Amino acid sequence: MTVHRHHNGLRTALLLGLLTALIIGIGYLIGGSTGLIIAVLISLAMNAATYFWSDKIALRSMQAQPVSEAQAPWLYAMVRELSTAAKQPMPRLYISPTAQPNAFATGRNPANAAVCVTDGITRILTQRELRAVIGHELSHVYNRDILISSVAAALGGIITALSYLVWFIPFGRSEDDDGPGILGVLAMLILGPIAATLIQLGISRSREYEADADGARLSQDPLALASALRKIDAGAQQLPLQPTSQLQSSAHLMIANPLRAAGVAKLFSTHPPMADRIKRLEQLAVSGDQYRAVDR
């Protein structure tokens, strides 16, 4: 886990550097310091709230309920085993009544983590497959993926907020007006939100591959995770969830996209192709005897 965690720290630093550069550049384009400061403060406040309460937002979007060890001893046993193997604290556990098979982890660090599985996933996966899925979700927490998502969201939020400020800037440019011209307005309104979205999607896709590999190593069962992904993908396509605003903001946390993606929407999917993920896991299983599947 150390290598990916280190890489994620570098990515976070790079994103913060990029954020600073974009703020300076966009501030120069719109020509006003007051509006810039207000936009930055509002966006940072909103994203700070999202960061510290991201777990509650995600859990609420799936109507998840906390589950005790007496209610689900088998789930606690799986998570405790994997957490102990990773030398990390035990996360809080939740079950969502959703029929779609899916799972996600949330929380800004291992000490504030929560793992949620849907009722649907517990019905279609074997215990061995579910254990591998939990390994994937715990890896997201251990790799500090939530931290990266928060920084990326802050970056996207600030770009978008600044693009909205252009509406309050005169469209023409004169000698006495430091506001942007029509081209600057169009660039901010169109390219700003698109750039922010692409940054977030690029991070989301790479981290899924890393969580698959690290989850397979943690569970020592990449074939079980590959098998689980096949079932989850089929179930998610058969039972897509309604794209509510809360769910859309939390969809990137799921092990599989819970929303229906078709046509152009596939280009903006927060998850890499499932076939590619499965292929990588199968290759990982072949590459080392230590990852051979063990019947459980």
Side-chain angles (χ1 to χ4, degrees), residues 126 128-129 131-132 216 219-227 281-282 284-286 288-296:
T126 66
R128 173 185 155 193
E129 291 167 339
R131 176 178 175 275
S219 65
Q220 297 187 355
D221 205 347
L223 292 181
L225 182 55
S227 177
L281 287 167
E282 291 174 340
L284 181 61
V286 173
D289 291 341
Q290 67 270 36
Y291 302 129
R292 281 182 183 168
V294 178
D295 290 333
R296 297 182 183 276

PDB file of all heavy atoms in Angstrom, residues 126 128-129 131-132 216 219-227 281-282 284-286 288-296:
ATOM      1  N   THR A 126     -20.833 -14.947  -3.712  1.00  0.00           N
ATOM      2  CA  THR A 126     -20.419 -15.910  -2.700  1.00  0.00           C
ATOM      3  C   THR A 126     -19.630 -15.156  -1.629  1.00  0.00           C
ATOM      4  O   THR A 126     -19.217 -14.006  -1.824  1.00  0.00           O
ATOM      5  CB  THR A 126     -19.532 -17.001  -3.315  1.00  0.00           C
ATOM      6  OG1 THR A 126     -18.298 -16.396  -3.769  1.00  0.00           O
ATOM      7  CG2 THR A 126     -20.227 -17.669  -4.493  1.00  0.00           C
ATOM      8  N   ARG A 128     -16.656 -15.724  -0.692  1.00  0.00           N
ATOM      9  CA  ARG A 128     -15.307 -15.493  -1.218  1.00  0.00           C
ATOM     10  C   ARG A 128     -15.285 -14.260  -2.122  1.00  0.00           C
ATOM     11  O   ARG A 128     -14.376 -13.423  -2.036  1.00  0.00           O
ATOM     12  CB  ARG A 128     -14.860 -16.734  -1.997  1.00  0.00           C
ATOM     13  CG  ARG A 128     -13.548 -16.574  -2.732  1.00  0.00           C
ATOM     14  CD  ARG A 128     -13.251 -17.808  -3.560  1.00  0.00           C
ATOM     15  NE  ARG A 128     -12.377 -17.509  -4.664  1.00  0.00           N
ATOM     16  CZ  ARG A 128     -12.146 -18.321  -5.684  1.00  0.00           C
ATOM     17  NH1 ARG A 128     -12.742 -19.508  -5.724  1.00  0.00           N
ATOM     18  NH2 ARG A 128     -11.328 -17.977  -6.654  1.00  0.00           N
ATOM     19  N   GLU A 129     -16.286 -14.094  -2.981  1.00  0.00           N
ATOM     20  CA  GLU A 129     -16.348 -12.939  -3.870  1.00  0.00           C
ATOM     21  C   GLU A 129     -16.593 -11.655  -3.082  1.00  0.00           C
ATOM     22  O   GLU A 129     -15.984 -10.612  -3.369  1.00  0.00           O
ATOM     23  CB  GLU A 129     -17.451 -13.147  -4.915  1.00  0.00           C
ATOM     24  CG  GLU A 129     -17.136 -14.247  -5.917  1.00  0.00           C
ATOM     25  CD  GLU A 129     -18.353 -14.655  -6.737  1.00  0.00           C
ATOM     26  OE1 GLU A 129     -19.497 -14.388  -6.283  1.00  0.00           O
ATOM     27  OE2 GLU A 129     -18.166 -15.246  -7.821  1.00  0.00           O
ATOM     28  N   ARG A 131     -15.784 -11.057  -0.013  1.00  0.00           N
ATOM     29  CA  ARG A 131     -14.556 -10.744   0.712  1.00  0.00           C
ATOM     30  C   ARG A 131     -13.574  -9.992  -0.190  1.00  0.00           C
ATOM     31  O   ARG A 131     -12.918  -9.031   0.243  1.00  0.00           O
ATOM     32  CB  ARG A 131     -13.920 -12.043   1.214  1.00  0.00           C
ATOM     33  CG  ARG A 131     -12.571 -11.867   1.924  1.00  0.00           C
ATOM     34  CD  ARG A 131     -12.058 -13.208   2.419  1.00  0.00           C
ATOM     35  NE  ARG A 131     -10.724 -13.098   2.985  1.00  0.00           N
ATOM     36  CZ  ARG A 131      -9.605 -13.152   2.277  1.00  0.00           C
ATOM     37  NH1 ARG A 131      -9.682 -13.329   0.951  1.00  0.00           N
ATOM     38  NH2 ARG A 131      -8.435 -13.043   2.869  1.00  0.00           N
ATOM     39  N   ALA A 132     -13.463 -10.399  -1.440  1.00  0.00           N
ATOM     40  CA  ALA A 132     -12.576  -9.717  -2.383  1.00  0.00           C
ATOM     41  C   ALA A 132     -13.068  -8.300  -2.670  1.00  0.00           C
ATOM     42  O   ALA A 132     -12.269  -7.366  -2.813  1.00  0.00           O
ATOM     43  CB  ALA A 132     -12.477 -10.526  -3.677  1.00  0.00           C
ATOM     44  N   ALA A 216      -6.909  -7.089  -4.527  1.00  0.00           N
ATOM     45  CA  ALA A 216      -6.569  -8.475  -4.834  1.00  0.00           C
ATOM     46  C   ALA A 216      -5.400  -8.945  -3.980  1.00  0.00           C
ATOM     47  O   ALA A 216      -5.364 -10.094  -3.515  1.00  0.00           O
ATOM     48  CB  ALA A 216      -6.226  -8.616  -6.313  1.00  0.00           C
ATOM     49  N   SER A 219      -6.726  -9.374  -0.275  1.00  0.00           N
ATOM     50  CA  SER A 219      -7.532 -10.595  -0.110  1.00  0.00           C
ATOM     51  C   SER A 219      -6.807 -11.832  -0.600  1.00  0.00           C
ATOM     52  O   SER A 219      -7.224 -12.951  -0.307  1.00  0.00           O
ATOM     53  CB  SER A 219      -8.854 -10.454  -0.882  1.00  0.00           C
ATOM     54  OG  SER A 219      -8.621 -10.377  -2.279  1.00  0.00           O
ATOM     55  N   GLN A 220      -5.714 -11.641  -1.361  1.00  0.00           N
ATOM     56  CA  GLN A 220      -4.958 -12.723  -1.984  1.00  0.00           C
ATOM     57  C   GLN A 220      -5.869 -13.583  -2.861  1.00  0.00           C
ATOM     58  O   GLN A 220      -5.714 -14.799  -2.926  1.00  0.00           O
ATOM     59  CB  GLN A 220      -4.257 -13.577  -0.918  1.00  0.00           C
ATOM     60  CG  GLN A 220      -3.229 -12.821  -0.103  1.00  0.00           C
ATOM     61  CD  GLN A 220      -2.428 -13.694   0.828  1.00  0.00           C
ATOM     62  OE1 GLN A 220      -2.691 -14.886   0.956  1.00  0.00           O
ATOM     63  NE2 GLN A 220      -1.440 -13.129   1.485  1.00  0.00           N
ATOM     64  N   ASP A 221      -6.786 -12.918  -3.552  1.00  0.00           N
ATOM     65  CA  ASP A 221      -7.760 -13.662  -4.347  1.00  0.00           C
ATOM     66  C   ASP A 221      -8.249 -12.830  -5.537  1.00  0.00           C
ATOM     67  O   ASP A 221      -9.413 -12.418  -5.583  1.00  0.00           O
ATOM     68  CB  ASP A 221      -8.945 -14.060  -3.473  1.00  0.00           C
ATOM     69  CG  ASP A 221      -9.663 -15.290  -3.994  1.00  0.00           C
ATOM     70  OD1 ASP A 221      -9.406 -15.688  -5.138  1.00  0.00           O
ATOM     71  OD2 ASP A 221     -10.483 -15.861  -3.252  1.00  0.00           O
ATOM     72  N   PRO A 222      -7.380 -12.536  -6.515  1.00  0.00           N
ATOM     73  CA  PRO A 222      -7.797 -11.707  -7.649  1.00  0.00           C
ATOM     74  C   PRO A 222      -8.890 -12.340  -8.500  1.00  0.00           C
ATOM     75  O   PRO A 222      -9.724 -11.631  -9.076  1.00  0.00           O
ATOM     76  CB  PRO A 222      -6.500 -11.525  -8.453  1.00  0.00           C
ATOM     77  CG  PRO A 222      -5.643 -12.671  -8.053  1.00  0.00           C
ATOM     78  CD  PRO A 222      -5.961 -12.939  -6.616  1.00  0.00           C
ATOM     79  N   LEU A 223      -8.905 -13.673  -8.598  1.00  0.00           N
ATOM     80  CA  LEU A 223      -9.934 -14.325  -9.403  1.00  0.00           C
ATOM     81  C   LEU A 223     -11.317 -14.161  -8.783  1.00  0.00           C
ATOM     82  O   LEU A 223     -12.319 -14.051  -9.498  1.00  0.00           O
ATOM     83  CB  LEU A 223      -9.605 -15.803  -9.588  1.00  0.00           C
ATOM     84  CG  LEU A 223      -8.379 -16.112 -10.451  1.00  0.00           C
ATOM     85  CD1 LEU A 223      -8.175 -17.616 -10.571  1.00  0.00           C
ATOM     86  CD2 LEU A 223      -8.523 -15.483 -11.836  1.00  0.00           C
ATOM     87  N   ALA A 224     -11.377 -14.132  -7.461  1.00  0.00           N
ATOM     88  CA  ALA A 224     -12.664 -13.911  -6.805  1.00  0.00           C
ATOM     89  C   ALA A 224     -13.171 -12.503  -7.089  1.00  0.00           C
ATOM     90  O   ALA A 224     -14.370 -12.293  -7.313  1.00  0.00           O
ATOM     91  CB  ALA A 224     -12.535 -14.132  -5.300  1.00  0.00           C
ATOM     92  N   LEU A 225     -12.274 -11.520  -7.099  1.00  0.00           N
ATOM     93  CA  LEU A 225     -12.679 -10.159  -7.408  1.00  0.00           C
ATOM     94  C   LEU A 225     -13.113 -10.035  -8.862  1.00  0.00           C
ATOM     95  O   LEU A 225     -14.100  -9.361  -9.172  1.00  0.00           O
ATOM     96  CB  LEU A 225     -11.536  -9.184  -7.108  1.00  0.00           C
ATOM     97  CG  LEU A 225     -11.840  -7.702  -7.344  1.00  0.00           C
ATOM     98  CD1 LEU A 225     -13.088  -7.265  -6.569  1.00  0.00           C
ATOM     99  CD2 LEU A 225     -10.641  -6.837  -6.945  1.00  0.00           C
ATOM    100  N   ALA A 226     -12.399 -10.711  -9.764  1.00  0.00           N
ATOM    101  CA  ALA A 226     -12.789 -10.696 -11.176  1.00  0.00           C
ATOM    102  C   ALA A 226     -14.179 -11.299 -11.364  1.00  0.00           C
ATOM    103  O   ALA A 226     -15.021 -10.768 -12.095  1.00  0.00           O
ATOM    104  CB  ALA A 226     -11.759 -11.458 -12.011  1.00  0.00           C
ATOM    105  N   SER A 227     -14.439 -12.406 -10.692  1.00  0.00           N
ATOM    106  CA  SER A 227     -15.749 -13.048 -10.768  1.00  0.00           C
ATOM    107  C   SER A 227     -16.838 -12.140 -10.198  1.00  0.00           C
ATOM    108  O   SER A 227     -17.937 -12.021 -10.758  1.00  0.00           O
ATOM    109  CB  SER A 227     -15.720 -14.375 -10.010  1.00  0.00           C
ATOM    110  OG  SER A 227     -16.993 -14.987 -10.003  1.00  0.00           O
ATOM    111  N   LEU A 281      -7.058  -8.252 -13.535  1.00  0.00           N
ATOM    112  CA  LEU A 281      -7.087  -9.138 -12.370  1.00  0.00           C
ATOM    113  C   LEU A 281      -6.715 -10.568 -12.746  1.00  0.00           C
ATOM    114  O   LEU A 281      -6.003 -11.255 -12.001  1.00  0.00           O
ATOM    115  CB  LEU A 281      -8.473  -9.103 -11.730  1.00  0.00           C
ATOM    116  CG  LEU A 281      -8.809  -7.815 -10.968  1.00  0.00           C
ATOM    117  CD1 LEU A 281     -10.293  -7.743 -10.662  1.00  0.00           C
ATOM    118  CD2 LEU A 281      -7.995  -7.731  -9.681  1.00  0.00           C
ATOM    119  N   GLU A 282      -7.173 -11.023 -13.895  1.00  0.00           N
ATOM    120  CA  GLU A 282      -6.824 -12.372 -14.354  1.00  0.00           C
ATOM    121  C   GLU A 282      -5.334 -12.468 -14.636  1.00  0.00           C
ATOM    122  O   GLU A 282      -4.701 -13.496 -14.353  1.00  0.00           O
ATOM    123  CB  GLU A 282      -7.645 -12.723 -15.585  1.00  0.00           C
ATOM    124  CG  GLU A 282      -9.132 -12.921 -15.270  1.00  0.00           C
ATOM    125  CD  GLU A 282      -9.980 -13.126 -16.508  1.00  0.00           C
ATOM    126  OE1 GLU A 282      -9.517 -12.749 -17.624  1.00  0.00           O
ATOM    127  OE2 GLU A 282     -11.098 -13.650 -16.390  1.00  0.00           O
ATOM    128  N   LEU A 284      -3.067 -10.694 -13.116  1.00  0.00           N
ATOM    129  CA  LEU A 284      -2.436 -10.674 -11.808  1.00  0.00           C
ATOM    130  C   LEU A 284      -2.450 -12.056 -11.170  1.00  0.00           C
ATOM    131  O   LEU A 284      -1.480 -12.474 -10.526  1.00  0.00           O
ATOM    132  CB  LEU A 284      -3.160  -9.673 -10.902  1.00  0.00           C
ATOM    133  CG  LEU A 284      -2.609  -9.493  -9.484  1.00  0.00           C
ATOM    134  CD1 LEU A 284      -1.175  -8.975  -9.521  1.00  0.00           C
ATOM    135  CD2 LEU A 284      -3.496  -8.536  -8.691  1.00  0.00           C
ATOM    136  N   ALA A 285      -3.543 -12.785 -11.361  1.00  0.00           N
ATOM    137  CA  ALA A 285      -3.653 -14.131 -10.805  1.00  0.00           C
ATOM    138  C   ALA A 285      -2.625 -15.067 -11.437  1.00  0.00           C
ATOM    139  O   ALA A 285      -2.061 -15.940 -10.765  1.00  0.00           O
ATOM    140  CB  ALA A 285      -5.060 -14.678 -11.026  1.00  0.00           C
ATOM    141  N   VAL A 286      -2.349 -14.868 -12.719  1.00  0.00           N
ATOM    142  CA  VAL A 286      -1.399 -15.729 -13.431  1.00  0.00           C
ATOM    143  C   VAL A 286       0.041 -15.376 -13.068  1.00  0.00           C
ATOM    144  O   VAL A 286       0.919 -16.231 -13.035  1.00  0.00           O
ATOM    145  CB  VAL A 286      -1.613 -15.618 -14.960  1.00  0.00           C
ATOM    146  CG1 VAL A 286      -0.527 -16.372 -15.717  1.00  0.00           C
ATOM    147  CG2 VAL A 286      -2.982 -16.153 -15.345  1.00  0.00           C
ATOM    148  N   GLY A 288       1.519 -14.515 -10.266  1.00  0.00           N
ATOM    149  CA  GLY A 288       2.133 -14.900  -8.994  1.00  0.00           C
ATOM    150  C   GLY A 288       1.335 -15.953  -8.259  1.00  0.00           C
ATOM    151  O   GLY A 288       0.116 -15.847  -8.142  1.00  0.00           O
ATOM    152  N   ASP A 289       2.035 -16.981  -7.747  1.00  0.00           N
ATOM    153  CA  ASP A 289       1.350 -18.049  -7.009  1.00  0.00           C
ATOM    154  C   ASP A 289       0.732 -17.546  -5.706  1.00  0.00           C
ATOM    155  O   ASP A 289      -0.203 -18.138  -5.182  1.00  0.00           O
ATOM    156  CB  ASP A 289       2.343 -19.183  -6.697  1.00  0.00           C
ATOM    157  CG  ASP A 289       2.768 -19.921  -7.947  1.00  0.00           C
ATOM    158  OD1 ASP A 289       2.065 -19.826  -8.965  1.00  0.00           O
ATOM    159  OD2 ASP A 289       3.825 -20.572  -7.887  1.00  0.00           O
ATOM    160  N   GLN A 290       1.295 -16.422  -5.172  1.00  0.00           N
ATOM    161  CA  GLN A 290       0.779 -15.940  -3.892  1.00  0.00           C
ATOM    162  C   GLN A 290      -0.630 -15.395  -4.017  1.00  0.00           C
ATOM    163  O   GLN A 290      -1.285 -15.109  -3.020  1.00  0.00           O
ATOM    164  CB  GLN A 290       1.692 -14.849  -3.320  1.00  0.00           C
ATOM    165  CG  GLN A 290       1.730 -13.542  -4.121  1.00  0.00           C
ATOM    166  CD  GLN A 290       2.811 -13.554  -5.185  1.00  0.00           C
ATOM    167  OE1 GLN A 290       3.092 -14.578  -5.792  1.00  0.00           O
ATOM    168  NE2 GLN A 290       3.419 -12.405  -5.392  1.00  0.00           N
ATOM    169  N   TYR A 291      -1.131 -15.232  -5.257  1.00  0.00           N
ATOM    170  CA  TYR A 291      -2.469 -14.690  -5.442  1.00  0.00           C
ATOM    171  C   TYR A 291      -3.443 -15.754  -5.919  1.00  0.00           C
ATOM    172  O   TYR A 291      -4.511 -15.457  -6.432  1.00  0.00           O
ATOM    173  CB  TYR A 291      -2.443 -13.534  -6.434  1.00  0.00           C
ATOM    174  CG  TYR A 291      -1.519 -12.428  -6.005  1.00  0.00           C
ATOM    175  CD1 TYR A 291      -0.561 -11.917  -6.876  1.00  0.00           C
ATOM    176  CD2 TYR A 291      -1.586 -11.901  -4.718  1.00  0.00           C
ATOM    177  CE1 TYR A 291       0.291 -10.906  -6.481  1.00  0.00           C
ATOM    178  CE2 TYR A 291      -0.733 -10.906  -4.313  1.00  0.00           C
ATOM    179  CZ  TYR A 291       0.199 -10.397  -5.197  1.00  0.00           C
ATOM    180  OH  TYR A 291       1.062  -9.420  -4.801  1.00  0.00           O
ATOM    181  N   ARG A 292      -3.074 -17.018  -5.809  1.00  0.00           N
ATOM    182  CA  ARG A 292      -3.994 -18.082  -6.208  1.00  0.00           C
ATOM    183  C   ARG A 292      -5.265 -18.044  -5.369  1.00  0.00           C
ATOM    184  O   ARG A 292      -5.242 -17.782  -4.176  1.00  0.00           O
ATOM    185  CB  ARG A 292      -3.319 -19.448  -6.028  1.00  0.00           C
ATOM    186  CG  ARG A 292      -2.361 -19.793  -7.163  1.00  0.00           C
ATOM    187  CD  ARG A 292      -1.767 -21.173  -6.945  1.00  0.00           C
ATOM    188  NE  ARG A 292      -0.807 -21.486  -7.967  1.00  0.00           N
ATOM    189  CZ  ARG A 292       0.020 -22.509  -7.886  1.00  0.00           C
ATOM    190  NH1 ARG A 292      -0.009 -23.317  -6.843  1.00  0.00           N
ATOM    191  NH2 ARG A 292       0.882 -22.762  -8.858  1.00  0.00           N
ATOM    192  N   ALA A 293      -6.367 -18.310  -6.023  1.00  0.00           N
ATOM    193  CA  ALA A 293      -7.650 -18.306  -5.315  1.00  0.00           C
ATOM    194  C   ALA A 293      -7.701 -19.441  -4.312  1.00  0.00           C
ATOM    195  O   ALA A 293      -7.222 -20.539  -4.559  1.00  0.00           O
ATOM    196  CB  ALA A 293      -8.787 -18.452  -6.327  1.00  0.00           C
ATOM    197  N   VAL A 294      -8.267 -19.137  -3.175  1.00  0.00           N
ATOM    198  CA  VAL A 294      -8.439 -20.134  -2.126  1.00  0.00           C
ATOM    199  C   VAL A 294      -9.914 -20.241  -1.816  1.00  0.00           C
ATOM    200  O   VAL A 294     -10.575 -19.233  -1.562  1.00  0.00           O
ATOM    201  CB  VAL A 294      -7.661 -19.735  -0.849  1.00  0.00           C
ATOM    202  CG1 VAL A 294      -7.895 -20.745   0.243  1.00  0.00           C
ATOM    203  CG2 VAL A 294      -6.197 -19.572  -1.162  1.00  0.00           C
ATOM    204  N   ASP A 295     -10.457 -21.432  -1.873  1.00  0.00           N
ATOM    205  CA  ASP A 295     -11.877 -21.608  -1.566  1.00  0.00           C
ATOM    206  C   ASP A 295     -12.128 -21.268  -0.109  1.00  0.00           C
ATOM    207  O   ASP A 295     -11.402 -21.704   0.779  1.00  0.00           O
ATOM    208  CB  ASP A 295     -12.303 -23.057  -1.824  1.00  0.00           C
ATOM    209  CG  ASP A 295     -12.319 -23.380  -3.310  1.00  0.00           C
ATOM    210  OD1 ASP A 295     -12.504 -22.449  -4.099  1.00  0.00           O
ATOM    211  OD2 ASP A 295     -12.116 -24.560  -3.665  1.00  0.00           O
ATOM    212  N   ARG A 296     -13.189 -20.490   0.111  1.00  0.00           N
ATOM    213  CA  ARG A 296     -13.510 -20.055   1.475  1.00  0.00           C
ATOM    214  C   ARG A 296     -14.969 -20.339   1.737  1.00  0.00           C
ATOM    215  O   ARG A 296     -15.790 -20.221   0.878  1.00  0.00           O
ATOM    216  CB  ARG A 296     -13.213 -18.555   1.629  1.00  0.00           C
ATOM    217  CG  ARG A 296     -11.737 -18.243   1.428  1.00  0.00           C
ATOM    218  CD  ARG A 296     -11.457 -16.757   1.644  1.00  0.00           C
ATOM    219  NE  ARG A 296     -10.051 -16.484   1.382  1.00  0.00           N
ATOM    220  CZ  ARG A 296      -9.095 -16.647   2.259  1.00  0.00           C
ATOM    221  NH1 ARG A 296      -9.386 -17.072   3.470  1.00  0.00           N
ATOM    222  NH2 ARG A 296      -7.832 -16.384   1.963  1.00  0.00           N
TER     223      ARG A 296
END
